[in-house]
Amino acid sequence: MTASRPASRSRTLHMVGNAHIDPVWLWRWPEGLQEIRATFQSAADRMDEYPDFVFTCDSVMYLEWIERHDPQLFSTIRKRVAEGRWQVVGGWWIEPDCNIPSGESFVRQALYGQRYLLEKFGTASTVGCNLDPFGHNAMLPQLLRKAGMDGYMFLRPGPHEQVLPGQFFHWEAPDGSRVLAYRLPNEYCSPGQDIGGHLDKSLALMPPDEPELMVFYGVGNHGGGPTKANIESIRRLDALGGLPALRLSHPEAYFERIRGREDVPVHAGELQHHGPGCYSSHSGVKQWNRRAENELQRAEKWAAVAGTVTGEAYPLEKFAEAWKLVLFNQFHDILAGTSIRSAYEDARDDYGRARSIAAEVFNRSVQAVARRIDIPLRERTQPLVVFNPHPWELRADIEAEYLHAAGAALTDDEGTPVPVQHTRSEVAMAGSRARITFPATVPPLGHRVYHLLPGSRQDPAAGCAPVHATGTGLENAHLRLEIDPSTGWLSSLYDKDAGTELLPERPGPHAVVVDDPSDTWGHRVRAYDKAEGAFGCTRVRLVESGPVRAVLRVESSYRRSLLAEEFVLSAGSRHVEVRTTVDWQEKLKLLKLRFPTALSDVTATHEIPYGHLERTPDGTEEPAQAWVDVTGTLPDGRRAGLAVANDGKYGHDVHGGEIGMTALRSPVYAWHEPQQLDPDGVYEYLDQGRQEFRMLLIPHGEDWRAADPVRRAAELNQPAFALLETFHEGPLPQRAAYADDGGGSVLVTVVKGDEDGTGDVVVRACESAGRAATARIALPMLGERSFEAAFGPCEIKTFRVPRDPRLPVTETDLLELPLEEDTQEDPEPPAGPPAGGPDQDGASGAGQDSASGKERDGGAAGG
């Protein structure tokens, strides 16, 4: 099967003509659009000149741009696609950063990309392609496989950054899904002239005895594509006979040749690390992205509810417009924070437009529901409707502003008094408006009406026990914390339920300033651990205390930079919220917030898109989504842990029992080593000025799953919404639920209208604990309909639920198309019983359907 000599003519090199085009990087998108047009026209011209030339492109959005701006060229491309000479790979809207987007964003990359290809060309991609991104999360094989792709091409990490079992290998996700992955040798682009040197470098990096391999060529980054000189040099080099046979080809032809091989090794887990600075560069774009993702998913859920409950039309086209804006700005050089400063003016506006669409749809949907709630007149009161965006019961403190508050009391929908506490209003004009906070319990993906009353009466028996507060400490029924005024951080975090102290006797510094001379990407960096100082505490004070919560404010400074952290402990809460404001004035520095614990022998678990992964706690800078956990052994031998959740931070490290969160970085915009900064140069630095974000500190016992950081982080990122209402008659009760996932390890993340516009409801759920489970998902908004499904560990499933109860619930792929038989071998089932809450045991109910589909019990998570 193998060749005896590297240059044997029995070997074949598949030469793939392509053009990697960055629509935004050192230029803004109008220039990128023009270059896409010019490059695609050049590729079409080469096809006229060379009958055997084949062109390959990814990023489906480029085709939509051409369709919109150059219909004649698009017609030519359609003709060449039909001939097989224009090959579309990737199947995603754009080449995104492959660590920072949420799991649902990766679904939408394929949903909009593959469906566009099917609509315009009658075929979809079978090979995924992300050549330029800076790392690849471990869930991608499942996300690719369930979007119709069984192959994957990438370049980074290179051989010097991660050793892999071969040039190509089966890449396995935590659920056991596999794709055949190929690491491109050398580069994805080539010089515009002779490519002999490019071929020599590529061959030197590849196995010398593989009979078939693949090399990309063509001018890239700013576009260009294969040139006449490229193609002529391939012909000349092939005729010389000193290289393997050079074949003008495309990726699918290559993958077809190696799919059936039985000697392909397996790699389980992620593909990292390249450019760890990308996890935290440009805090602004990362927070814009997090908020847009969550606001769109919230709007979709409530638009689906409003569509079934009130008859409001589901705005499919508006959601498509908004999601495509988000997906475009997830392009790796935008979301990674590595583009020029002016490009982020465009990104800010695009994310703002997407969020505005989400806000408009969400508001219209909840208003449509609210005005149909039956709220009888009650003199001298005002109704307040709280909307829960999650398909599980929500218990949270709600903040709401209202007019003319001389004082207020509150009752729920049944007239039971609810504790209420005044807090800081956004309005400085005393007496015009007031802001309150109160504990609410709201049904799953549902609403509940509360009633504001005049006066300030309180019923001490209502709600949970109050929080005991001092000038430096807070305590409720579950937690006790103490702040050390000399450091500005916790000296004690005591879990009363477990009887454990989580902090060491002498915790290290918290807000650490790190010397960071690396470029915008953080090339050549493994860890940000060169601390040069820490913020010093200037003041600790109690700023709020009452029957609902207490708040301690800690103010600190470092040179000209200021930091304020407010510790919020609510009555009955099992976590501490930390509200952070930073005014950052440092350059070529990094702010690392450290969370020390007394734990040893720790397991470090990081949330990744639609999953989680255990990593070695050696201080390496790692990408994570909304939470990171350390679980280990306390000095007394007991097991415990701490999870830290966030609402927009992605760079983390775990060193021993200590979590580090990179709050911000301040390199120069779009600075790429080996270029050195001129000491007299005038530069613009990232993350200067003010930013705000929130965190949760979640102590727990020996298993992080019991604390459910997945749901707690979701509640932090999609908070409840309170709407002042009026009195009116209506068909809806004052308390109602519309979708319920049971609250176990299977988490419903998406409830939306179907992409075909038929009125069906699409539900997506994922198993979050890494253990097989059976879930019962209820949809009261469809007449008490429910269905059961079996999930493998970390498995994602999508269901189509018709409004007509006579039609069955069906499982679909991520494109919302019927499932086809998957021929990949099922992994070994896991040991142990299924995980899940008491509501996930599969109890039958009225209107229940079975939609388990093909059961796949999954395999162990890869490291």
Side-chain angles (χ1 to χ4, degrees):
M1 185 175 182
T2 58
S4 59
R5 298 187 308 277
S8 170
R9 296 293 289 176
S10 65
R11 304 178 75 207
T12 300
L13 283 186
H14 292 255
M15 302 298 299
V16 178
N18 86 112
H20 176 77
I21 307 174
D22 294 327
V24 174
W25 179 28
L26 307 180
W27 46 86
R28 296 169 77 171
W29 69 264
E31 184 174 339
L33 168 57
Q34 187 280 328
E35 189 54 44
I36 290 166
R37 254 192 324 112
T39 299
F40 281 12
Q41 184 62 61
S42 173
D45 293 343
R46 298 294 81 74
M47 289 181 185
D48 292 336
E49 297 159 350
Y50 299 94
D52 55 346
F53 170 66
V54 181
F55 181 68
T56 295
C57 75
D58 67 357
S59 297
V60 175
M61 186 203 72
Y62 299 168
L63 295 168
E64 189 191 58
W65 272 8
I66 295 299
E67 181 185 22
R68 188 185 312 159
H69 294 281
D70 194 338
Q72 183 175 351
L73 176 57
F74 186 74
S75 178
T76 299
I77 292 171
R78 292 187 70 175
K79 175 184 175 183
R80 295 304 190 184
V81 169
E83 295 172 351
R85 297 184 60 199
W86 190 296
Q87 291 286 324
V88 182
V89 297
W92 285 3
W93 200 243
I94 201 80
E95 273 195 29
D97 181 282
C98 290
N99 285 311
I100 307 303
S102 68
E104 188 55 29
S105 285
F106 288 109
V107 172
R108 302 308 171 101
Q109 289 283 353
L111 178 72
Y112 292 110
Q114 292 280 62
R115 288 179 72 99
Y116 180 89
L117 295 178
L118 288 167
E119 177 188 350
K120 303 298 180 179
F121 304 100
T123 186
S125 293
T126 58
V127 178
C129 181
N130 284 300
L131 301 181
D132 202 19
F134 315 124
H136 309 259
N137 76 78
M139 292 295 288
L140 286 186
Q142 182 182 178
L143 290 160
L144 290 161
R145 193 86 192 199
K146 293 195 171 186
M149 290 172 274
D150 62 0
Y152 191 63
M153 300 179 295
F154 68 100
L155 175 69
R156 304 184 180 96
H160 62 295
E161 293 164 326
Q162 185 175 13
V163 176
L164 293 170
Q167 195 73 42
F168 54 89
F169 51 90
H170 289 301
W171 184 21
E172 185 174 278
D175 77 310
S177 298
R178 290 179 179 179
V179 294
L180 187 57
Y182 185 89
R183 175 156 64 184
L184 214 63
N186 187 32
E187 268 294 349
Y188 50 71
C189 55
S190 66
Q193 301 302 313
D194 188 282
I195 64 169
H198 174 65
L199 277 174
D200 290 342
K201 291 177 183 178
S202 299
L203 285 166
L205 292 170
M206 295 192 291
D209 56 354
E210 279 293 337
E212 301 208 33
L213 290 166
M214 181 167 55
V215 173
F216 276 41
Y217 73 95
V219 180
N221 287 335
H222 197 264
T227 64
K228 294 181 182 180
N230 288 164
I231 300 170
E232 294 290 349
S233 70
I234 291 173
R235 289 181 168 181
R236 180 183 66 81
L237 292 166
D238 188 47
L240 290 174
L243 292 171
L246 306 182
R247 173 185 171 191
L248 297 183
S249 188
H250 57 86
E252 174 55 36
Y254 172 73
F255 276 93
E256 185 61 30
R257 297 286 295 173
I258 63 172
R259 276 195 182 99
R261 285 180 50 169
E262 297 179 355
D263 60 342
V264 179
V266 177
H267 171 75
E270 58 190 337
L271 303 175
Q272 309 289 5
H273 302 84
H274 180 92
C278 294
Y279 313 151
S280 48
S281 290
H282 204 298
S283 296
V285 74
K286 290 175 171 59
Q287 192 171 67
W288 304 335
N289 179 74
R290 177 78 68 86
R291 289 178 176 173
E293 290 172 330
N294 280 279
E295 288 166 9
L296 278 169
Q297 285 181 249
R298 181 184 70 166
E300 285 178 334
K301 284 181 272 192
W302 277 100
V305 170
T308 58
V309 173
T310 74
E312 285 285 322
Y314 188 84
L316 195 62
E317 292 184 1
K318 285 188 175 182
F319 280 129
E321 177 189 358
W323 270 112
K324 287 177 181 179
L325 288 168
V326 171
L327 300 180
F328 170 69
N329 285 283
Q330 290 174 346
F331 180 72
H332 50 269
D333 279 317
I334 302 176
L335 189 53
T338 55
S339 292
I340 56 175
R341 182 201 57 78
S342 57
Y344 290 101
E345 297 176 11
D346 300 328
R348 175 203 61 207
D349 294 346
D350 281 352
Y351 276 117
R353 185 177 175 189
R355 293 180 63 193
S356 177
I357 291 171
E360 175 193 345
V361 173
F362 174 73
N363 187 266
R364 179 171 181 172
S365 300
V366 296
Q367 297 265 7
V369 172
R371 71 173 181 264
R372 289 171 171 83
I373 299 174
D374 187 28
I375 309 177
L377 176 65
R378 294 174 62 184
E379 296 289 348
R380 303 178 64 206
T381 70
Q382 181 163 20
L384 182 67
V385 187
V386 179
F387 293 89
N388 173 13
H390 304 287
W392 59 85
E393 183 179 77
L394 179 68
R395 296 174 181 268
D397 288 352
I398 307 300
E399 292 190 15
E401 296 223 353
Y402 64 103
L403 285 167
H404 310 303
L410 195 72
T411 68
D412 63 17
D413 55 305
E414 296 177 341
T416 304
V418 176
V420 65
Q421 179 174 324
H422 280 87
T423 185
R424 284 167 293 179
S425 171
E426 291 188 66
V427 181
M429 298 164 55
S432 63
R433 286 179 69 84
R435 189 175 187 87
I436 58 169
T437 181
F438 62 94
T441 301
V442 191
L445 191 59
H447 69 258
R448 189 175 186 182
V449 177
Y450 290 82
H451 298 271
L452 285 163
L453 313 175
S456 59
R457 64 180 178 85
Q458 291 294 330
D459 182 355
C464 303
V467 179
H468 175 69
T470 68
T472 58
L474 303 174
E475 181 177 359
N476 68 7
H478 306 288
L479 299 173
R480 183 174 69 239
L481 64 91
E482 188 71 25
I483 293 187
D484 182 352
S486 66
T487 66
W489 187 244
L490 298 175
S491 59
S492 174
L493 180 57
Y494 187 77
D495 185 341
K496 296 167 69 174
D497 295 333
T500 55
E501 172 58 63
L502 281 170
L503 298 194
E505 187 174 344
R506 291 185 178 85
H510 166 60
V512 178
V513 179
V514 176
D515 181 44
D516 178 18
S518 64
D519 66 9
T520 317
W521 285 256
H523 284 124
R524 324 297 175 193
V525 170
R526 183 191 69 86
Y528 290 107
D529 54 4
K530 296 178 175 62
E532 69 168 33
F535 276 74
C537 181
T538 57
R539 190 180 186 188
V540 180
R541 57 191 172 118
L542 183 66
V543 295
E544 191 175 328
S545 183
V548 177
R549 69 186 188 191
V551 182
L552 278 171
R553 180 179 176 88
V554 179
E555 297 171 355
S556 306
S557 65
Y558 178 86
R559 295 180 181 173
R560 297 190 303 117
S561 299
L562 302 175
L563 171 68
E565 294 181 295
E566 294 191 343
F567 294 78
V568 183
L569 184 63
S570 299
S573 177
R574 287 178 166 82
H575 61 255
V576 182
E577 182 180 354
V578 185
R579 301 180 177 181
T580 305
T581 303
V582 186
D583 184 1
W584 182 249
Q585 302 296 331
E586 315 307 314
K587 298 175 175 60
L588 301 181
K589 309 295 179 189
L590 176 148
L591 176 59
K592 178 75 78 168
L593 299 182
R594 307 216 65 88
F595 305 90
T597 72
L599 300 167
S600 61
D601 186 28
V602 303
T603 298
T605 307
H606 299 68
E607 185 183 41
I608 62 174
Y610 267 147
H612 63 270
L613 202 64
E614 292 181 5
R615 295 181 173 128
T616 304
D618 62 358
T620 298
E621 188 80 355
E622 303 281 9
Q625 292 278 308
W627 59 269
V628 173
D629 178 82
V630 289
T631 300
T633 305
L634 291 167
D636 63 6
R638 286 185 291 174
R639 299 280 292 176
L642 175 70
V644 178
N646 70 83
D647 70 349
K649 301 299 175 185
Y650 296 90
H652 293 77
D653 70 82
V654 177
H655 189 267
E658 183 173 274
I659 297 173
M661 175 191 295
T662 302
L664 44 80
R665 289 185 68 224
S666 52
V668 169
Y669 277 91
W671 166 36
H672 198 305
E673 59 96 28
Q675 179 69 39
Q676 296 298 304
L677 299 180
D678 183 347
D680 294 325
V682 178
Y683 302 106
E684 294 184 86
Y685 295 81
L686 277 75
D687 281 357
Q688 300 297 290
R690 179 185 172 92
Q691 63 169 281
E692 299 178 1
F693 54 94
R694 298 188 179 195
M695 304 173 289
L696 298 180
L697 308 181
I698 311 172
H700 59 80
E702 60 182 311
D703 191 341
W704 58 263
R705 295 166 182 82
D708 210 348
V710 183
R711 292 181 192 270
R712 301 295 82 77
E715 291 166 1
L716 177 68
N717 283 273
Q718 286 186 47
F721 177 77
L723 178 69
L724 289 171
E725 252 299 333
T726 54
F727 304 104
H728 40 65
E729 295 180 350
L732 300 179
Q734 293 192 28
R735 176 168 45 179
Y738 300 107
D740 189 348
D741 65 13
S745 70
V746 172
L747 190 85
V748 167
T749 57
V750 170
V751 178
K752 62 184 286 290
D754 72 285
E755 290 298 313
D756 299 315
T758 66
D760 292 351
V761 173
V762 170
V763 175
R764 188 153 25 256
C766 64
E767 198 289 313
S768 64
R771 301 167 178 169
T774 297
R776 177 176 176 270
I777 298 170
L779 295 172
M781 66 184 188
L782 293 176
E784 301 301 326
R785 191 162 200 186
S786 65
F787 61 94
E788 290 182 4
F791 287 73
C794 301
E795 186 173 16
I796 307 160
K797 286 193 172 188
T798 305
F799 306 95
R800 190 175 186 128
V801 186
R803 290 198 190 189
D804 186 343
R806 296 170 297 179
L807 298 177
V809 176
T810 57
E811 185 179 350
T812 74
D813 62 14
L814 296 179
L815 310 182
E816 301 179 16
L817 302 175
L819 287 181
E820 295 183 4
E821 184 65 24
D822 194 337
T823 58
Q824 71 173 354
E825 182 179 351
D826 286 350
E828 291 296 319
D839 293 330
Q840 291 188 296
D841 292 332
S844 60
Q848 181 173 294
D849 297 291
S850 174
S852 59
K854 180 184 179 185
E855 293 188 19
R856 184 177 303 139
D857 290 334

